[in-house]
Amino acid sequence: MPLALYGHPFSSYTQKALIALYEAGTAFEFRMIGPDTPEHVGEWMRRWPMGSFPLLVDGDQTVAETSIIIEHLQIAHPGPRQLIPIDAAAALEVRFLDRFLDLYVMERVQFAVGASLGRYGAMTAAEGLEMARERLEKAYGWLEVRLAGRAWAAGEDFTLADCAAGTALFYADWTHPIGPGYPTLRAYRERLLRRASFARAIEEARPYRGLFPLGAPDQD
Ligand SMILES: N[C@@H](CCC(=O)N[C@@H](CS)C(=O)NCC(=O)O)C(=O)O
């Protein structure tokens, strides 16, 4: 069976995995999860009842969680770039930044989206957005300092952390604009948008922008 990725082009985490696949130039089959492809939805749910996506299928292995998917790709299908450094200390910084971007940036965006969809009981969309904005502001401040002097998240090389950063900062800026007080972070986001792997994922997702519940801004 060829390598297959179940996901949706507009999903931030699907894009994170796609960036890694495009960086490596790995051949794979994209299996869209959506109303028009119930066979993919059925197979994805059977393999991963947790219901999150993307999901990678590699032969007889089912691999969930994007950070693990990218670690798996690095081991089983390495490309020309080392997305996780061999040096253990350098790898720790990459993995830490990957966690930071997922948990303190992307998760805040998902929270605001969840509130706008009425997922948190009595919490209104405006309250959810306000809460997410406060937390994103803190994350922006922290990243502004951490990224100083770096071309990519963890230094000179494009890594797993940049796969996470691309989509997290893309949607975070839509949710709570990264203000002029964060020039390093803004410049980094711009570099990510120009990176061929992410630029491709952005274009593939463009037709679905209407799905963004907070309203996609006229940018990017
Ligand atoms: N920690 C997971 C997060 C994946 C995630 O939240 N994916 C979203 C789509 S972007 C999702 O599955 N949403 C549906 C749900 O959680 O029910 C990962 O890294 O793969």
Side-chain angles (χ1 to χ4, degrees):
M1 186 200 273
L3 201 59
L5 187 76
Y6 290 81
H8 189 284
F10 195 64
S11 130
S12 54
Y13 283 101
T14 301
Q15 290 176 14
K16 179 179 162 186
L18 286 172
I19 294 170
L21 285 158
Y22 294 158
E23 283 288 329
T26 307
F28 68 100
E29 187 188 320
F30 188 72
R31 297 191 182 151
M32 174 90 154
I33 294 176
D36 299 333
T37 48
E39 70 284 13
H40 294 166
V41 175
E43 184 61 14
W44 158 62
M45 289 299 284
R46 190 185 69 73
R47 287 179 176 271
W48 185 240
M50 303 306 125
S52 66
F53 56 91
L55 188 72
L56 185 79
V57 176
D58 187 1
D60 57 6
Q61 284 182 282
T62 296
V63 189
E65 288 292 321
T66 48
S67 303
I68 304 303
I69 288 173
I70 295 172
E71 296 256 7
H72 172 89
L73 290 169
Q74 183 68 63
I75 295 165
H77 305 274
R81 269 170 220 94
Q82 193 72 34
L83 290 177
I84 297 111
I86 293 165
D87 176 78
L92 194 61
E93 173 70 359
V94 165
R95 291 189 175 105
F96 170 53
L97 284 164
D98 170 67
R99 291 301 72 233
F100 185 88
L101 286 149
D102 276 11
L103 300 175
Y104 298 94
V105 180
M106 197 58 226
E107 202 171 285
R108 305 321 192 201
V109 174
Q110 286 181 312
F111 182 79
V113 166
S116 80
L117 297 174
R119 286 191 183 148
Y120 309 126
M123 182 181 288
T124 66
E127 285 166 349
L129 184 58
E130 192 45 40
M131 228 168 176
R133 282 185 162 154
E134 273 171 30
R135 292 171 181 186
L136 282 170
E137 191 66 24
K138 281 188 195 156
Y140 295 167
W142 188 88
L143 283 165
E144 181 70 14
V145 175
R146 190 69 164 214
L147 299 181
R150 296 180 177 183
W152 299 108
E156 285 310 303
D157 299 320
F158 190 95
T159 65
L160 160 71
D162 300 295
C163 300
T167 56
L169 294 174
F170 183 83
Y171 289 113
D173 190 54
W174 284 15
T175 304
H176 175 56
I178 302 170
Y182 305 113
T184 298
L185 189 56
R186 282 159 67 110
Y188 172 55
R189 184 178 183 276
E190 281 306 309
R191 273 197 299 287
L192 286 163
L193 260 65
R194 289 196 303 271
R195 183 86 180 182
S197 55
F198 187 37
R200 180 175 167 189
I202 291 172
E203 285 317 308
E204 289 167 349
R206 194 173 291 281
Y208 303 100
R209 287 188 176 198
L211 294 177
F212 194 61
L214 304 174
D218 188 17
Q219 64 176 63
D220 303 324

